[in-house]
Amino acid sequence: MSADRFALLDLLTEYGARLDAGDYDHWLDLFAAECAYSVVPRENYDRGLPAALIYCDNRAVLRDRVRALRDANKYNIHTDRHLIGLPRLVEPDGLLIEAPFAVHQTDQDGVTRLFATGLYRDRLERTPGGLRIRDKLVILDTFAVPSLLATPL
Amino acid sequence: MSADRFALLDLLTEYGARLDAGDYDHWLDLFAAECAYSVVPRENYDRGLPAALIYCDNRAVLRDRVRALRDANKYNIHTDRHLIGLPRLVEPDGLLIEAPFAVHQTDQDGVTRLFATGLYRDRLERTPGGLRIRDKLVILDTFAVPSLLATPL
Amino acid sequence: MSADRFALLDLLTEYGARLDAGDYDHWLDLFAAECAYSVVPRENYDRGLPAALIYCDNRAVLRDRVRALRDANKYNIHTDRHLIGLPRLVEPDGLLIEAPFAVHQTDQDGVTRLFATGLYRDRLERTPGGLRIRDKLVILDTFAVPSLLATPL
């Protein structure tokens, strides 16, 4: 049980660390073979509106998306720093969790700014290789993220 | 022992999550039957000055306060996002803890800003229903929070 | 094993708490007898460039540095608030870890700002007194920290 809890913390920690390192290929490895990833403004999520800013419903689409982001990032050079809060077990088995996050970005002039805050809502899956993300919902506190597409959240 | 540690982490996580969801009724459920909640600027706390920005010394007062905040919030519409750091056990039994926090707010224009940082100092109580907050002291890093009353911290 | 994990979390928590309290003497106690502390911009670290903003390669130098900072701080009065993310075990024994952090500063006018974000990379040591920091590398997301020298990160 408590081993499981640490496995969950480790998954979230790896998630942020790989994004911050710009290591998108290994970030993808944190997702299950069948997976989904979407970014939704909080307002839409709270109202049950389906409109997402990003919606990838399988691994191939997510991989393509990340490659496109990486190319776009050449024109919006910055580094990310995620701070991810402790996860809340929405279901007692720990396979549906929520965790708050803040992402800070540093631009080429060395200015660090708060970029976005929100809540992760992750459906997880136990696999032989360990805990993986089956369905990640990034609920953004704002609907207005100008340079949203620069890097995954 | 380590189960206790996770119970403590869960309490802090729920605290932030319920506030961020605007679920103030269930947030109140995290407090013990006899409880206190106060918000004090760090400067006053460090100098031992009693002046608090908010001081609720029992549950009924806290409930009224939260209702008043909720009404006031209609005129200052925003959403909160708490990031709460890991707790420090001030006393080895884990019933007096401190944890740093940052609160970010997003307004109706979709702008997310750092709102406040500080330190929670919580006296906890073991109850049949689980760990509860007996006395919460919110030590704010600033004495100058203009829209302080909009939501509990 | 899980006791070890909590000891690691406690070390990071103490690290931030003692800095935020301005308790630099007890902050020094978190380092091993033989220790190093350096602050390096991310850009330099990523490129393998040795140039550090601060480099203390033993305890006496670190102690002197902290005293100098404390004196300098009289002219740049502010308080710090660290938020330190969960540590990633870079080596499975947990003695080399990385953890993201954000530091917020509040000035004398009561204005709280994001000061810096980055990554701690800590080589730890088990001692009879508990887990201690042998070599702390503070990898700053920005190369441009104007008032860097005010307090340790």
Side-chain angles (χ1 to χ4, degrees), chain A residues 50-78:
Chain A
L53 295 167
I54 295 182
Y55 179 60
C56 301
D57 68 349
N58 68 64
R59 200 184 173 86
V61 171
L62 183 54
R63 184 184 292 114
D64 288 351
R65 183 79 192 210
V66 165
R67 284 187 187 152
L69 291 177
R70 193 158 27 182
D71 290 339
N73 205 9
K74 287 175 190 159
Y75 307 97
N76 175 18
I77 298 173
H78 68 270

PDB file of all heavy atoms in Angstrom, chain A residues 50-78:
ATOM      1  N   PRO A  50     -17.389  20.012 -23.767  1.00  0.00           N
ATOM      2  CA  PRO A  50     -16.339  19.123 -24.272  1.00  0.00           C
ATOM      3  C   PRO A  50     -15.135  19.851 -24.878  1.00  0.00           C
ATOM      4  O   PRO A  50     -14.071  19.244 -25.028  1.00  0.00           O
ATOM      5  CB  PRO A  50     -17.065  18.321 -25.357  1.00  0.00           C
ATOM      6  CG  PRO A  50     -18.175  19.202 -25.815  1.00  0.00           C
ATOM      7  CD  PRO A  50     -18.555  20.065 -24.646  1.00  0.00           C
ATOM      8  N   ALA A  51     -15.271  21.132 -25.194  1.00  0.00           N
ATOM      9  CA  ALA A  51     -14.212  21.811 -25.945  1.00  0.00           C
ATOM     10  C   ALA A  51     -12.865  21.768 -25.229  1.00  0.00           C
ATOM     11  O   ALA A  51     -12.720  22.269 -24.112  1.00  0.00           O
ATOM     12  CB  ALA A  51     -14.619  23.257 -26.226  1.00  0.00           C
ATOM     13  N   ALA A  52     -11.872  21.168 -25.893  1.00  0.00           N
ATOM     14  CA  ALA A  52     -10.523  21.065 -25.336  1.00  0.00           C
ATOM     15  C   ALA A  52      -9.566  21.915 -26.157  1.00  0.00           C
ATOM     16  O   ALA A  52      -9.778  22.137 -27.350  1.00  0.00           O
ATOM     17  CB  ALA A  52     -10.065  19.615 -25.334  1.00  0.00           C
ATOM     18  N   LEU A  53      -8.504  22.402 -25.500  1.00  0.00           N
ATOM     19  CA  LEU A  53      -7.467  23.135 -26.214  1.00  0.00           C
ATOM     20  C   LEU A  53      -6.561  22.155 -26.965  1.00  0.00           C
ATOM     21  O   LEU A  53      -6.063  22.456 -28.041  1.00  0.00           O
ATOM     22  CB  LEU A  53      -6.642  23.951 -25.222  1.00  0.00           C
ATOM     23  CG  LEU A  53      -7.429  25.063 -24.513  1.00  0.00           C
ATOM     24  CD1 LEU A  53      -6.654  25.608 -23.327  1.00  0.00           C
ATOM     25  CD2 LEU A  53      -7.730  26.186 -25.502  1.00  0.00           C
ATOM     26  N   ILE A  54      -6.331  21.016 -26.352  1.00  0.00           N
ATOM     27  CA  ILE A  54      -5.565  19.943 -26.990  1.00  0.00           C
ATOM     28  C   ILE A  54      -6.310  18.657 -26.676  1.00  0.00           C
ATOM     29  O   ILE A  54      -6.781  18.468 -25.551  1.00  0.00           O
ATOM     30  CB  ILE A  54      -4.134  19.855 -26.404  1.00  0.00           C
ATOM     31  CG1 ILE A  54      -3.341  21.120 -26.731  1.00  0.00           C
ATOM     32  CG2 ILE A  54      -3.407  18.626 -26.950  1.00  0.00           C
ATOM     33  CD1 ILE A  54      -1.903  21.089 -26.224  1.00  0.00           C
ATOM     34  N   TYR A  55      -6.424  17.808 -27.671  1.00  0.00           N
ATOM     35  CA  TYR A  55      -7.054  16.514 -27.413  1.00  0.00           C
ATOM     36  C   TYR A  55      -6.362  15.447 -28.255  1.00  0.00           C
ATOM     37  O   TYR A  55      -6.427  15.482 -29.483  1.00  0.00           O
ATOM     38  CB  TYR A  55      -8.562  16.568 -27.725  1.00  0.00           C
ATOM     39  CG  TYR A  55      -9.230  15.250 -27.481  1.00  0.00           C
ATOM     40  CD1 TYR A  55      -9.206  14.667 -26.220  1.00  0.00           C
ATOM     41  CD2 TYR A  55      -9.859  14.560 -28.516  1.00  0.00           C
ATOM     42  CE1 TYR A  55      -9.795  13.438 -25.993  1.00  0.00           C
ATOM     43  CE2 TYR A  55     -10.456  13.324 -28.295  1.00  0.00           C
ATOM     44  CZ  TYR A  55     -10.421  12.769 -27.026  1.00  0.00           C
ATOM     45  OH  TYR A  55     -10.986  11.548 -26.795  1.00  0.00           O
ATOM     46  N   CYS A  56      -5.688  14.559 -27.586  1.00  0.00           N
ATOM     47  CA  CYS A  56      -5.004  13.462 -28.272  1.00  0.00           C
ATOM     48  C   CYS A  56      -5.597  12.181 -27.708  1.00  0.00           C
ATOM     49  O   CYS A  56      -5.450  11.915 -26.516  1.00  0.00           O
ATOM     50  CB  CYS A  56      -3.509  13.484 -27.989  1.00  0.00           C
ATOM     51  SG  CYS A  56      -2.700  15.013 -28.479  1.00  0.00           S
ATOM     52  N   ASP A  57      -6.255  11.410 -28.530  1.00  0.00           N
ATOM     53  CA  ASP A  57      -6.939  10.233 -27.995  1.00  0.00           C
ATOM     54  C   ASP A  57      -6.191   8.931 -28.237  1.00  0.00           C
ATOM     55  O   ASP A  57      -6.733   7.862 -27.961  1.00  0.00           O
ATOM     56  CB  ASP A  57      -8.380  10.163 -28.491  1.00  0.00           C
ATOM     57  CG  ASP A  57      -8.443   9.887 -29.974  1.00  0.00           C
ATOM     58  OD1 ASP A  57      -7.381   9.962 -30.647  1.00  0.00           O
ATOM     59  OD2 ASP A  57      -9.543   9.597 -30.466  1.00  0.00           O
ATOM     60  N   ASN A  58      -4.960   9.029 -28.750  1.00  0.00           N
ATOM     61  CA  ASN A  58      -4.131   7.822 -28.767  1.00  0.00           C
ATOM     62  C   ASN A  58      -2.655   8.207 -28.836  1.00  0.00           C
ATOM     63  O   ASN A  58      -2.305   9.367 -29.045  1.00  0.00           O
ATOM     64  CB  ASN A  58      -4.529   6.868 -29.904  1.00  0.00           C
ATOM     65  CG  ASN A  58      -4.205   7.442 -31.269  1.00  0.00           C
ATOM     66  OD1 ASN A  58      -3.029   7.664 -31.601  1.00  0.00           O
ATOM     67  ND2 ASN A  58      -5.231   7.717 -32.069  1.00  0.00           N
ATOM     68  N   ARG A  59      -1.834   7.223 -28.656  1.00  0.00           N
ATOM     69  CA  ARG A  59      -0.416   7.452 -28.468  1.00  0.00           C
ATOM     70  C   ARG A  59       0.249   8.048 -29.712  1.00  0.00           C
ATOM     71  O   ARG A  59       1.126   8.920 -29.601  1.00  0.00           O
ATOM     72  CB  ARG A  59       0.242   6.117 -28.118  1.00  0.00           C
ATOM     73  CG  ARG A  59       1.568   6.251 -27.447  1.00  0.00           C
ATOM     74  CD  ARG A  59       2.175   4.870 -27.244  1.00  0.00           C
ATOM     75  NE  ARG A  59       3.521   5.004 -26.740  1.00  0.00           N
ATOM     76  CZ  ARG A  59       3.828   5.134 -25.459  1.00  0.00           C
ATOM     77  NH1 ARG A  59       2.880   5.124 -24.553  1.00  0.00           N
ATOM     78  NH2 ARG A  59       5.087   5.276 -25.091  1.00  0.00           N
ATOM     79  N   ALA A  60      -0.177   7.590 -30.892  1.00  0.00           N
ATOM     80  CA  ALA A  60       0.441   8.088 -32.126  1.00  0.00           C
ATOM     81  C   ALA A  60       0.153   9.582 -32.298  1.00  0.00           C
ATOM     82  O   ALA A  60       1.038  10.364 -32.666  1.00  0.00           O
ATOM     83  CB  ALA A  60      -0.071   7.301 -33.328  1.00  0.00           C
ATOM     84  N   VAL A  61      -1.076   9.962 -32.012  1.00  0.00           N
ATOM     85  CA  VAL A  61      -1.451  11.380 -32.122  1.00  0.00           C
ATOM     86  C   VAL A  61      -0.663  12.204 -31.098  1.00  0.00           C
ATOM     87  O   VAL A  61      -0.163  13.294 -31.396  1.00  0.00           O
ATOM     88  CB  VAL A  61      -2.978  11.547 -31.910  1.00  0.00           C
ATOM     89  CG1 VAL A  61      -3.346  13.020 -31.795  1.00  0.00           C
ATOM     90  CG2 VAL A  61      -3.747  10.894 -33.051  1.00  0.00           C
ATOM     91  N   LEU A  62      -0.516  11.651 -29.899  1.00  0.00           N
ATOM     92  CA  LEU A  62       0.231  12.366 -28.862  1.00  0.00           C
ATOM     93  C   LEU A  62       1.699  12.524 -29.272  1.00  0.00           C
ATOM     94  O   LEU A  62       2.298  13.592 -29.123  1.00  0.00           O
ATOM     95  CB  LEU A  62       0.108  11.610 -27.530  1.00  0.00           C
ATOM     96  CG  LEU A  62       0.777  12.256 -26.310  1.00  0.00           C
ATOM     97  CD1 LEU A  62       0.320  13.691 -26.104  1.00  0.00           C
ATOM     98  CD2 LEU A  62       0.493  11.437 -25.042  1.00  0.00           C
ATOM     99  N   ARG A  63       2.271  11.471 -29.848  1.00  0.00           N
ATOM    100  CA  ARG A  63       3.667  11.540 -30.289  1.00  0.00           C
ATOM    101  C   ARG A  63       3.835  12.609 -31.379  1.00  0.00           C
ATOM    102  O   ARG A  63       4.760  13.423 -31.322  1.00  0.00           O
ATOM    103  CB  ARG A  63       4.131  10.180 -30.795  1.00  0.00           C
ATOM    104  CG  ARG A  63       5.622  10.187 -31.172  1.00  0.00           C
ATOM    105  CD  ARG A  63       6.082   8.866 -31.779  1.00  0.00           C
ATOM    106  NE  ARG A  63       6.057   7.795 -30.802  1.00  0.00           N
ATOM    107  CZ  ARG A  63       5.238   6.729 -30.860  1.00  0.00           C
ATOM    108  NH1 ARG A  63       4.399   6.594 -31.872  1.00  0.00           N
ATOM    109  NH2 ARG A  63       5.292   5.810 -29.924  1.00  0.00           N
ATOM    110  N   ASP A  64       2.917  12.610 -32.338  1.00  0.00           N
ATOM    111  CA  ASP A  64       2.982  13.618 -33.406  1.00  0.00           C
ATOM    112  C   ASP A  64       2.855  15.019 -32.837  1.00  0.00           C
ATOM    113  O   ASP A  64       3.565  15.939 -33.229  1.00  0.00           O
ATOM    114  CB  ASP A  64       1.866  13.396 -34.433  1.00  0.00           C
ATOM    115  CG  ASP A  64       2.145  12.172 -35.290  1.00  0.00           C
ATOM    116  OD1 ASP A  64       3.271  11.625 -35.193  1.00  0.00           O
ATOM    117  OD2 ASP A  64       1.245  11.770 -36.041  1.00  0.00           O
ATOM    118  N   ARG A  65       1.926  15.137 -31.911  1.00  0.00           N
ATOM    119  CA  ARG A  65       1.688  16.434 -31.299  1.00  0.00           C
ATOM    120  C   ARG A  65       2.941  16.960 -30.609  1.00  0.00           C
ATOM    121  O   ARG A  65       3.309  18.125 -30.739  1.00  0.00           O
ATOM    122  CB  ARG A  65       0.553  16.299 -30.283  1.00  0.00           C
ATOM    123  CG  ARG A  65       0.149  17.572 -29.628  1.00  0.00           C
ATOM    124  CD  ARG A  65      -0.727  18.357 -30.568  1.00  0.00           C
ATOM    125  NE  ARG A  65      -0.939  19.712 -30.129  1.00  0.00           N
ATOM    126  CZ  ARG A  65      -2.033  20.399 -30.404  1.00  0.00           C
ATOM    127  NH1 ARG A  65      -2.995  19.874 -31.116  1.00  0.00           N
ATOM    128  NH2 ARG A  65      -2.143  21.649 -30.001  1.00  0.00           N
ATOM    129  N   VAL A  66       3.586  16.090 -29.878  1.00  0.00           N
ATOM    130  CA  VAL A  66       4.777  16.491 -29.137  1.00  0.00           C
ATOM    131  C   VAL A  66       5.895  16.885 -30.097  1.00  0.00           C
ATOM    132  O   VAL A  66       6.636  17.844 -29.865  1.00  0.00           O
ATOM    133  CB  VAL A  66       5.219  15.367 -28.173  1.00  0.00           C
ATOM    134  CG1 VAL A  66       6.628  15.593 -27.681  1.00  0.00           C
ATOM    135  CG2 VAL A  66       4.258  15.299 -26.999  1.00  0.00           C
ATOM    136  N   ARG A  67       6.002  16.164 -31.219  1.00  0.00           N
ATOM    137  CA  ARG A  67       7.020  16.546 -32.208  1.00  0.00           C
ATOM    138  C   ARG A  67       6.731  17.906 -32.811  1.00  0.00           C
ATOM    139  O   ARG A  67       7.641  18.711 -33.007  1.00  0.00           O
ATOM    140  CB  ARG A  67       7.101  15.476 -33.306  1.00  0.00           C
ATOM    141  CG  ARG A  67       7.846  14.273 -32.787  1.00  0.00           C
ATOM    142  CD  ARG A  67       8.133  13.241 -33.839  1.00  0.00           C
ATOM    143  NE  ARG A  67       8.709  12.081 -33.159  1.00  0.00           N
ATOM    144  CZ  ARG A  67       8.607  10.826 -33.590  1.00  0.00           C
ATOM    145  NH1 ARG A  67       7.990  10.566 -34.718  1.00  0.00           N
ATOM    146  NH2 ARG A  67       9.165   9.846 -32.898  1.00  0.00           N
ATOM    147  N   ALA A  68       5.461  18.156 -33.079  1.00  0.00           N
ATOM    148  CA  ALA A  68       5.087  19.466 -33.622  1.00  0.00           C
ATOM    149  C   ALA A  68       5.397  20.565 -32.605  1.00  0.00           C
ATOM    150  O   ALA A  68       5.920  21.628 -32.944  1.00  0.00           O
ATOM    151  CB  ALA A  68       3.593  19.479 -33.980  1.00  0.00           C
ATOM    152  N   LEU A  69       5.108  20.275 -31.325  1.00  0.00           N
ATOM    153  CA  LEU A  69       5.395  21.248 -30.273  1.00  0.00           C
ATOM    154  C   LEU A  69       6.887  21.539 -30.215  1.00  0.00           C
ATOM    155  O   LEU A  69       7.321  22.670 -30.086  1.00  0.00           O
ATOM    156  CB  LEU A  69       4.942  20.713 -28.911  1.00  0.00           C
ATOM    157  CG  LEU A  69       3.441  20.588 -28.681  1.00  0.00           C
ATOM    158  CD1 LEU A  69       3.179  19.964 -27.320  1.00  0.00           C
ATOM    159  CD2 LEU A  69       2.756  21.940 -28.774  1.00  0.00           C
ATOM    160  N   ARG A  70       7.681  20.501 -30.354  1.00  0.00           N
ATOM    161  CA  ARG A  70       9.116  20.660 -30.270  1.00  0.00           C
ATOM    162  C   ARG A  70       9.629  21.547 -31.401  1.00  0.00           C
ATOM    163  O   ARG A  70      10.491  22.394 -31.205  1.00  0.00           O
ATOM    164  CB  ARG A  70       9.792  19.297 -30.300  1.00  0.00           C
ATOM    165  CG  ARG A  70      11.239  19.351 -29.921  1.00  0.00           C
ATOM    166  CD  ARG A  70      11.712  18.005 -29.460  1.00  0.00           C
ATOM    167  NE  ARG A  70      10.920  16.944 -30.077  1.00  0.00           N
ATOM    168  CZ  ARG A  70      11.092  15.654 -29.825  1.00  0.00           C
ATOM    169  NH1 ARG A  70      12.009  15.281 -28.970  1.00  0.00           N
ATOM    170  NH2 ARG A  70      10.353  14.762 -30.411  1.00  0.00           N
ATOM    171  N   ASP A  71       9.054  21.378 -32.590  1.00  0.00           N
ATOM    172  CA  ASP A  71       9.457  22.235 -33.701  1.00  0.00           C
ATOM    173  C   ASP A  71       9.020  23.677 -33.439  1.00  0.00           C
ATOM    174  O   ASP A  71       9.791  24.612 -33.635  1.00  0.00           O
ATOM    175  CB  ASP A  71       8.851  21.727 -35.016  1.00  0.00           C
ATOM    176  CG  ASP A  71       9.498  20.413 -35.436  1.00  0.00           C
ATOM    177  OD1 ASP A  71      10.620  20.137 -34.959  1.00  0.00           O
ATOM    178  OD2 ASP A  71       8.891  19.678 -36.222  1.00  0.00           O
ATOM    179  N   ALA A  72       7.792  23.835 -32.969  1.00  0.00           N
ATOM    180  CA  ALA A  72       7.278  25.176 -32.685  1.00  0.00           C
ATOM    181  C   ALA A  72       8.126  25.860 -31.620  1.00  0.00           C
ATOM    182  O   ALA A  72       8.342  27.072 -31.642  1.00  0.00           O
ATOM    183  CB  ALA A  72       5.820  25.097 -32.230  1.00  0.00           C
ATOM    184  N   ASN A  73       8.644  25.055 -30.714  1.00  0.00           N
ATOM    185  CA  ASN A  73       9.412  25.570 -29.590  1.00  0.00           C
ATOM    186  C   ASN A  73      10.705  26.251 -30.036  1.00  0.00           C
ATOM    187  O   ASN A  73      11.289  27.051 -29.312  1.00  0.00           O
ATOM    188  CB  ASN A  73       9.731  24.418 -28.629  1.00  0.00           C
ATOM    189  CG  ASN A  73       9.972  24.908 -27.219  1.00  0.00           C
ATOM    190  OD1 ASN A  73       9.747  26.086 -26.919  1.00  0.00           O
ATOM    191  ND2 ASN A  73      10.432  24.030 -26.357  1.00  0.00           N
ATOM    192  N   LYS A  74      11.142  25.931 -31.238  1.00  0.00           N
ATOM    193  CA  LYS A  74      12.352  26.593 -31.759  1.00  0.00           C
ATOM    194  C   LYS A  74      12.144  28.094 -31.911  1.00  0.00           C
ATOM    195  O   LYS A  74      13.098  28.851 -31.938  1.00  0.00           O
ATOM    196  CB  LYS A  74      12.730  25.990 -33.115  1.00  0.00           C
ATOM    197  CG  LYS A  74      13.321  24.595 -32.992  1.00  0.00           C
ATOM    198  CD  LYS A  74      13.570  23.977 -34.360  1.00  0.00           C
ATOM    199  CE  LYS A  74      13.921  22.492 -34.200  1.00  0.00           C
ATOM    200  NZ  LYS A  74      13.688  21.741 -35.446  1.00  0.00           N
ATOM    201  N   TYR A  75      10.870  28.479 -32.024  1.00  0.00           N
ATOM    202  CA  TYR A  75      10.572  29.902 -32.221  1.00  0.00           C
ATOM    203  C   TYR A  75      10.068  30.545 -30.940  1.00  0.00           C
ATOM    204  O   TYR A  75       9.695  31.696 -30.927  1.00  0.00           O
ATOM    205  CB  TYR A  75       9.558  30.069 -33.352  1.00  0.00           C
ATOM    206  CG  TYR A  75      10.025  29.376 -34.593  1.00  0.00           C
ATOM    207  CD1 TYR A  75       9.581  28.100 -34.919  1.00  0.00           C
ATOM    208  CD2 TYR A  75      10.975  29.986 -35.410  1.00  0.00           C
ATOM    209  CE1 TYR A  75      10.057  27.448 -36.042  1.00  0.00           C
ATOM    210  CE2 TYR A  75      11.454  29.342 -36.533  1.00  0.00           C
ATOM    211  CZ  TYR A  75      10.999  28.075 -36.845  1.00  0.00           C
ATOM    212  OH  TYR A  75      11.483  27.435 -37.953  1.00  0.00           O
ATOM    213  N   ASN A  76      10.015  29.778 -29.892  1.00  0.00           N
ATOM    214  CA  ASN A  76       9.537  30.304 -28.610  1.00  0.00           C
ATOM    215  C   ASN A  76      10.401  29.665 -27.538  1.00  0.00           C
ATOM    216  O   ASN A  76       9.954  28.839 -26.763  1.00  0.00           O
ATOM    217  CB  ASN A  76       8.060  29.934 -28.415  1.00  0.00           C
ATOM    218  CG  ASN A  76       7.561  30.360 -27.048  1.00  0.00           C
ATOM    219  OD1 ASN A  76       8.170  31.190 -26.371  1.00  0.00           O
ATOM    220  ND2 ASN A  76       6.463  29.766 -26.609  1.00  0.00           N
ATOM    221  N   ILE A  77      11.654  30.060 -27.558  1.00  0.00           N
ATOM    222  CA  ILE A  77      12.625  29.339 -26.739  1.00  0.00           C
ATOM    223  C   ILE A  77      12.470  29.717 -25.267  1.00  0.00           C
ATOM    224  O   ILE A  77      12.556  30.883 -24.895  1.00  0.00           O
ATOM    225  CB  ILE A  77      14.052  29.623 -27.231  1.00  0.00           C
ATOM    226  CG1 ILE A  77      14.187  29.111 -28.666  1.00  0.00           C
ATOM    227  CG2 ILE A  77      15.064  28.956 -26.323  1.00  0.00           C
ATOM    228  CD1 ILE A  77      15.489  29.474 -29.333  1.00  0.00           C
ATOM    229  N   HIS A  78      12.230  28.716 -24.474  1.00  0.00           N
ATOM    230  CA  HIS A  78      12.086  28.937 -23.045  1.00  0.00           C
ATOM    231  C   HIS A  78      12.344  27.610 -22.354  1.00  0.00           C
ATOM    232  O   HIS A  78      12.405  26.552 -22.986  1.00  0.00           O
ATOM    233  CB  HIS A  78      10.674  29.425 -22.719  1.00  0.00           C
ATOM    234  CG  HIS A  78       9.655  28.368 -22.944  1.00  0.00           C
ATOM    235  ND1 HIS A  78       9.010  28.175 -24.140  1.00  0.00           N
ATOM    236  CD2 HIS A  78       9.204  27.390 -22.122  1.00  0.00           C
ATOM    237  CE1 HIS A  78       8.198  27.138 -24.048  1.00  0.00           C
ATOM    238  NE2 HIS A  78       8.289  26.642 -22.844  1.00  0.00           N
TER     239      HIS A  78
END
